Amino acid sequence: DKDHLKSKLELFVEVTRANEEIHQHLFEIERLILKSTQLDQMVRQLKEAITQRFHIPYVLLFLVDDADHYMEHKLEERFSNRLKGTLNFIDQAKVNTWFAGKLKPVFHSKIKTPSDVFGKVWHSKNIQSECIVPIINRGDVCGAIALGANKPQHFHDGLRTEYLERMAERLAIAIDNILLIDRLQLERSNVEEESRV
């Protein structure tokens, strides 16, 4: 009984330590994205940080590019070539099929058929499991973070998602902040241009 309790206590301490480490990594990622002022810089740093800190080899960011979200900023036109392969633009109907009306992360633990999210690279990269986390802005899904791993069961039902959901919340705030700064800079340059004329 004593040995059993000791091993249980050791396991509890190990889990607690692992959770603290995850929390610290996510705190650093949140800090990184919230202080970003450029969308392309933020996307690159997010991908790098997730890959390095969590050893998740494949990270994609999707944004819904329609009238209700980011179309007015012409993001696809401005960034799709600069961030090819990391930032992708999709329509609302497509992102809704991923989450089936729920605002929670979706896991595919053993991918047997081509991934709807990772597309053609799925087979060549040997992606065995994936996690798709919704980015929610004003109550709607406005994008997603897709994480892919080479191990089956790396992402699985039952995995705690509150850390991922919080990171996605911060990402929505960061994107809004970046777009606000972008809009203000554009307005300022327009005013300066008009004053010269």
Side-chain angles (χ1 to χ4, degrees), residues 4-22:
H4 180 70
L5 282 173
K6 184 181 175 188
S7 67
K8 267 188 152 179
L9 184 61
E10 285 171 353
L11 179 64
F12 177 73
V13 169
E14 193 177 311
V15 168
T16 303
R17 193 176 296 129
N19 281 340
E20 283 176 5
E21 192 176 319
I22 288 168

Side-chain angles (χ1 to χ4, degrees), residues 69 92 101 103 135-142:
H69 294 297
Q92 191 73 55
L103 301 179
I135 300 170
I136 301 162
N137 194 343
R138 298 174 192 95
D140 289 323
V141 177
C142 62

Side-chain angles (χ1 to χ4, degrees), residues 5 27-28 35-36 47 54 69 76 92 99 108 110 121 124 126 160 163 166 171 181 190 193 195-197:
L5 282 173
F27 174 75
E28 291 300 329
K35 71 177 191 177
S36 296
K47 180 181 179 176
F54 294 106
H69 294 297
E76 184 167 12
Q92 191 73 55
F99 300 107
H108 299 121
K110 291 181 184 173
V121 300
S124 63
N126 190 32
R160 291 180 60 187
Y163 290 133
R166 196 177 88 185
L171 187 56
I181 291 167
N190 286 343
E193 187 68 34
S195 66
R196 277 190 227 119
V197 174

Side-chain angles (χ1 to χ4, degrees), residues 2 8 17 20 27 33 40 46 52-54 56 64 69 78 99 101 113 134 138 184 190 195:
K2 211 183 235 182
K8 267 188 152 179
R17 193 176 296 129
E20 283 176 5
F27 174 75
I33 61 178
D40 48 352
L46 176 68
Q52 287 174 357
R53 290 177 180 276
F54 294 106
I56 296 170
V64 174
H69 294 297
R78 290 168 54 203
F99 300 107
T113 58
R138 298 174 192 95
L184 291 172
N190 286 343
S195 66

Side-chain angles (χ1 to χ4, degrees), residues 46 72 89 183 196:
L46 176 68
E72 65 181 289
F89 294 89
R183 186 182 291 131
R196 277 190 227 119

Side-chain angles (χ1 to χ4, degrees), residues 148-193:
N150 298 125
K151 292 188 310 192
Q153 299 290 340
H154 187 91
F155 300 111
H156 56 85
D157 288 332
L159 198 65
R160 291 180 60 187
T161 63
E162 54 269 15
Y163 290 133
L164 293 171
E165 291 175 68
R166 196 177 88 185
M167 181 177 69
E169 280 174 24
R170 300 302 191 271
L171 187 56
I173 293 167
I175 292 169
D176 267 359
N177 289 345
I178 287 168
L179 296 181
L180 179 62
I181 291 167
D182 190 56
R183 186 182 291 131
L184 291 172
Q185 286 174 339
L186 184 64
E187 286 173 10
R188 190 174 76 192
S189 65
N190 286 343
V191 168
E192 287 172 0
E193 187 68 34

